[in-house]
Amino acid sequence: MMNSPDLTNPPAQYRPIPFWSWNDKLDPEELRRQIREMKKAGLGGFFMHARGGLQTAYLSDEWMECVNACLDEAGKCGIDGWLYDENGWPSGFGGGLVNGLGVKYQQKYLRHEYLDAADLEASERENTIAWYDAATLELLGEKLPKGTAGRLLRCYYEVNPFYVDNLDPKVVREFLKVTHKHYYDNIPKPLLAHMKGIFTDEPQLSRNGLLWSFILEEEYWKAYRCELLKELPLLFLGTPESDAVRVRFWSLVARLFAENFLKQIHDWCSEKGWLLTGHHVLEETCQAQIASNGAIMPQYRYYHIPGMDHLCRTEPSPVAMTQLVSVAMQFGQKQILSESFALSGWNINFFGLRWMFQQQFAHGVNLVCPHLSSYTLRGLRKRDYPASLFYHQPWWEDYRSVNDYFARVGMLLAEGKAVAEVLVLHPLSSAWCHFTGDESNPHLDFYTKTLERITRALDVHQIAHNYADEQIVAAEGSFEHGAIRIGLQSYRYVIIPQITNLSKPVLELLRKFAAAGGRVLTVRNRLEPEKLTVDGETAPAEVRAWFRALPAFDSEEAAAAAAAAELAEQRTVIT
């Protein structure tokens, strides 16, 4: 903790860092002028963001001349230069250099179709993964055996040539080579001192249903000693075994994304002394985060400064904020970023900016990334996710007052110590059991809503709480001194919202905690009241009996009220 924080003039590291849209033919001297404007307005740095309208070739010698000029000027002004890792977004394709290497590097989706063997032509179907008997789901092979008759199910992959396979570590290594290493090799060492780190923007797996990767068969076997192809149809077809297959598959996907994309980039940046920041996509709901991320919370642990984004002039998602802040608290990440204000409109004012971010401050987010500061507004550029919060605004001369406010609050939050009394189990694995690639399934929204309701109810009672992600618990969870410990945080009170599935590590931890007198409250599942599984398999009768004996409530609001009353009583006794 800082001994005497200077609230009159907080350092650059706590000040807002805008997305600086490089959206035209760039001139080094104009870039330098704009940096001096940022300094005058109380901004702490800038993300050099290639964006629509750019007329200077991305990563060219001319581009690097501009980057180096900006780092030089940042050093003169005492603010921080930050790179942005892509030509547009989402991050990972290296301006087309990575996906341009062919199908192995390109994004793939899992698809299926039903066919009659009698109607098949002699030629093979492209991109086939495997053939199955449609009635029994028996695996027939990657190639259809001669003489096969009857109704068939074919699983195949569809290629998106415009993006990449972020599960494959070789693909990510290529991205690092063409982007991060290119910057490192072409920025003079003295200027690297003024370069703080790099922003990754919305890296993802799929926004078009179920995903596929050429590495999945081998990785599934290594993880579970099961053949993925034998189980593949159960990802989209309902059988008694489907839940277990889906839990295994999506748990693996989330882990591979975290390790092969985020951890690999994190480790490279750490070795070079760079900070990794940024955010993912579709973080707010269970149904949206599954295909795009597998699970969002395990991804955050590999950022030096984890982040989220908040679009439009609306209240931010309490779930998105709590997911992010929970991981940051558990892993000791002091600064927590939010890219905010995109699509807030040209008439956004200082009151609106503060209103939008105060709610994020209240949940622990503490570093503002204003979206957007446009190099120019020429032509259609003024329509790019407005507003542009930059020198062309009539209020620009007064903008420092807002940035000073953001910096003061952000510094106090970053240097203070956050404590959460309550741990809430995230219901994502219950949603995995229902995910077939169709995000409109009402079961998925049910588990999103139970998490949102318990979060809002605890917020009403001003009870600080974190989420327990089941993968993070498996890696970092323990029972110590009568409390559940996840990373750096300890919890003596647990609330389980409406769920159907528990992972084995979470179940074992909860039972130890409860046996030692720890309080575990549950909310009765109104959608699937009789169902309880462990890693997708039917829970033993003894586990079901233990779970049903826990204190249970008919609503999230009732559980939160009970927790508030008990915690208040404990504080009174302590006092």
Side-chain angles (χ1 to χ4, degrees), residues 202 207 279-290 292-293 296-297 300 307-312 314-324 338-339 426-428 439 444-445 447-449 451-452 455-456 467:
E202 300 189 359
R207 295 183 71 174
H279 72 87
H280 284 245
V281 70
L282 300 175
E283 306 135 307
E284 298 85 358
T285 68
C286 290
Q287 56 266 41
Q289 70 175 266
I290 294 174
S292 55
N293 301 286
I296 189 60
M297 288 179 64
Y300 293 141
M308 57 176 276
D309 74 339
H310 175 53
L311 302 175
C312 305
T314 58
E315 292 186 6
S317 162
V319 168
M321 292 184 288
T322 307
Q323 288 174 151
L324 174 65
S338 176
E339 174 198 325
H426 200 297
L428 185 63
E439 295 180 9
L444 300 171
D445 192 55
Y447 292 107
T448 289
K449 288 296 195 296
L451 185 61
E452 182 178 340
T455 296
R456 290 190 181 277
Y467 293 157

Side-chain angles (χ1 to χ4, degrees), residues 177-293:
K177 184 181 80 172
V178 304
T179 305
H180 302 64
K181 187 176 185 300
H182 179 83
Y183 278 119
Y184 187 78
D185 291 344
N186 288 279
I187 297 174
K189 295 300 184 286
L191 294 183
L192 283 173
H194 309 308
M195 204 284 292
K196 197 73 175 285
I198 193 164
F199 192 107
T200 194
D201 199 3
E202 300 189 359
Q204 56 196 253
L205 301 175
S206 171
R207 295 183 71 174
N208 191 12
L210 298 174
L211 61 89
W212 185 248
S213 171
F214 291 160
I215 73 167
L216 279 172
E217 290 180 65
E218 180 181 352
E219 292 294 338
Y220 198 83
W221 174 259
K222 285 162 57 177
Y224 307 117
R225 288 297 185 262
C226 298
E227 293 184 34
L228 176 57
L229 294 191
K230 288 185 176 180
E231 302 180 342
L232 197 61
L234 304 192
L235 292 177
F236 50 85
L237 297 177
T239 75
E241 295 79 27
S242 294
D243 286 3
V245 172
R246 292 169 189 173
V247 168
R248 285 196 292 269
F249 182 84
W250 290 111
S251 179
L252 176 65
V253 164
R255 177 173 63 80
L256 291 176
F257 191 24
E259 292 178 355
N260 293 347
F261 186 89
L262 266 301
K263 185 177 186 298
Q264 187 174 181
I265 296 174
H266 168 277
D267 291 351
W268 191 97
C269 289
S270 295
E271 181 183 324
K272 301 296 187 292
W274 297 9
L275 298 181
L276 176 63
T277 189
H279 72 87
H280 284 245
V281 70
L282 300 175
E283 306 135 307
E284 298 85 358
T285 68
C286 290
Q287 56 266 41
Q289 70 175 266
I290 294 174
S292 55
N293 301 286

Side-chain angles (χ1 to χ4, degrees), residues 326-378:
S326 297
V327 178
M329 290 175 61
Q330 290 159 0
F331 288 92
Q333 297 150 317
K334 287 179 22 174
Q335 289 193 284
I336 307 168
L337 176 143
S338 176
E339 174 198 325
S340 291
F341 315 135
L343 292 175
S344 58
W346 277 107
N347 64 342
I348 190 74
N349 56 25
F350 292 174
F351 177 85
L353 296 176
R354 290 178 58 150
W355 173 82
M356 288 178 66
F357 217 89
Q358 280 171 338
Q359 297 172 73
Q360 298 182 69
F361 278 146
H363 283 83
V365 180
N366 56 38
L367 182 60
V368 186
C369 171
H371 184 297
L372 188 69
S373 296
S374 297
Y375 179 81
T376 179
L377 298 181
R378 188 168 64 86

Side-chain angles (χ1 to χ4, degrees), residues 136-157:
T136 65
L137 300 183
E138 177 189 357
L139 174 64
L140 301 177
E142 297 180 39
K143 292 187 177 181
L144 190 63
K146 292 182 179 180
T148 302
R151 188 76 169 158
L152 303 173
L153 169 66
R154 182 176 82 104
C155 288
Y156 64 99
Y157 61 88

